[in-house]
Amino acid sequence: MLRIHRDLVDEIVAHARRDHPDEACGVIAGPEGSDRPLRFIPMLNAARSPTFYEFDSADLLKLYREMDANDEVPVVIYHSHTATEAYPSRTDVSYASEPGAHYVLVSTRDPEEHEFRSYRIVEGVITEEPVEVVEAE
């Protein structure tokens, strides 16, 4: 189960809406070993595409060095789907290289509503998990 603060959900959705019609992507880092998403890190979709996302390799290297220095890990890796449901595509599965991460997808296909779903993706196997949105402490 993913437990996530409402303000982080709001930030992910706002990022997805801002970048629409291109897919948005980013990370929420948290303390190593905690499974607590705390630090919102919006990233640039280097592909600038409405159908897939790609982290810029230099930005990603910088992010991982920063997380290492802070004893953090990527607790949530998120991106948006702009025209389809919030379910991982084959490309999403092939990019999923963090077995401990929650892979969050937001669909912005409806301008009024959004879908917000979370998955574990390990060795190509997709498992949807419940999301508990909590108020900030």
Side-chain angles (χ1 to χ4, degrees), residues 27-74:
V27 172
I28 303 178
E32 194 165 352
S34 72
D35 200 39
R36 286 186 12 240
L38 296 175
R39 188 165 65 95
F40 178 72
I41 308 155
M43 303 284 283
L44 174 69
N45 178 354
R48 293 205 161 103
S49 168
T51 57
F52 71 98
Y53 77 99
E54 183 174 43
F55 291 119
D56 178 83
S57 57
D59 289 347
L60 201 55
L61 180 60
K62 179 182 171 200
L63 171 63
Y64 272 82
R65 285 183 175 155
E66 190 176 285
M67 287 190 300
D68 283 347
N70 294 330
D71 293 322
E72 293 175 319
V73 294

Side-chain angles (χ1 to χ4, degrees), residues 4-18 20 79-82 84-87 104-118 131 133:
I4 186 168
H5 291 149
R6 180 169 310 285
D7 61 332
L8 293 172
V9 171
D10 292 345
E11 292 212 58
I12 290 171
V13 172
H15 183 201
R17 292 277 184 216
R18 245 185 345 266
H20 190 90
H79 76 281
S80 61
H81 281 184
T82 60
T84 59
E85 71 174 316
Y87 189 83
V104 166
L105 277 97
V106 175
S107 175
T108 56
R109 64 183 169 175
D110 182 328
E112 304 298 319
E113 299 289 320
H114 66 269
E115 287 176 73
F116 188 97
R117 296 165 71 183
S118 184
V131 176
V133 180

Side-chain angles (χ1 to χ4, degrees), residues 117-130:
R117 296 165 71 183
S118 184
Y119 305 88
R120 295 292 191 154
I121 304 174
V122 180
E123 295 180 6
V125 178
I126 303 166
T127 306
E128 187 164 8
E129 62 182 348

Side-chain angles (χ1 to χ4, degrees), residues 52-55 77 90-98 103:
F52 71 98
Y53 77 99
E54 183 174 43
F55 291 119
I77 298 171
R90 281 180 300 211
T91 304
D92 298 338
V93 172
S94 72
Y95 283 0
S97 60
E98 291 286 347
Y103 285 89

